[in-house]
Amino acid sequence: MTIELVDGKAGTAHISSEDKAIIHQAKFSKSDVVFDWGDAFKCSMSSSNRATIGTGCASIQGLDWHITSAESVTISNGSQGMKRNDIICAHYNRNPKNGNELVELVVLKGSPNATAAADPTIPSGKILSGAVDAYMPLWRIPLDGITVGKPVRLFTPRVALWDSVTLTKSNINWDVNYRTAFVGGMLIVAFHAVRLNTDWSAQKEWEVSPLFMLPAGLEAAFEVHCPAVSNSSVGLHGIEAQTAGNNINLRSSNKMTLGKGGWVEGCITVPL
């Protein structure tokens, strides 16, 4: 039988890591995710060859794991006159003999180069396709000679699903009301903005008037435009809502003027 009530009582142990991985991927994402919990895996160099990773919670290909007390890993010494990038990863492994699984922190060492450092290759492996090893990159540790540089974060922490997000109003010329919600890997922002102080006069298409700033760590993965509506005479497609990076803006589709007291409202989906 191929139908299973995964969370139901079956009279015998039946919930596998594969069950949970399938359901988590379907609900949230096939991508690896670091959640905004604990220290969100904050990385610090306690010495020139010792990196400490703080507490955090994450999902690797749908399998949840966490660190409840800081862990340390060793960074190999650099070489005079050579540059190198090492990558700290979460390493998933399944023992092929007994099926036992674990996650541990490992360091993938880059190849030294006299001019430019490159990241080491991250081994690929799909757990649900039978791979016994998978890697989730967390931090890049750059080395220049024997000097260790500042760790570079390779992930964006996700805040709890369905939580609201507080946005920073970035333009005093707009009085804005808004609501936000998370749906999977998307942030939905609905807004109503009234123009204050001065008219907004765009002399051509693609002129921008900022509305919000997204919190750090919630940058849009790519630029998105959505139509907005207004009580002005600019027409249905005269104004669009745009998200790019940490910004949510209004953007003109044509030459137009929206007078003081005019309003714009819309909804935009921010891919994270």
Side-chain angles (χ1 to χ4, degrees), residues 237-258:
H237 301 295
I239 301 176
E240 299 181 9
Q242 174 218 27
T243 181
N246 280 98
N247 301 296
I248 296 179
N249 308 312
L250 292 177
R251 203 167 185 182
S252 61
S253 296
N254 296 289
K255 181 179 179 180
M256 47 135 281
T257 297
L258 189 148

Side-chain angles (χ1 to χ4, degrees), residues 200-209 250-254:
W200 176 29
S201 295
Q203 301 306 307
K204 60 183 185 302
E205 62 183 1
W206 300 136
E207 290 195 9
V208 167
S209 184
L250 292 177
R251 203 167 185 182
S252 61
S253 296
N254 296 289

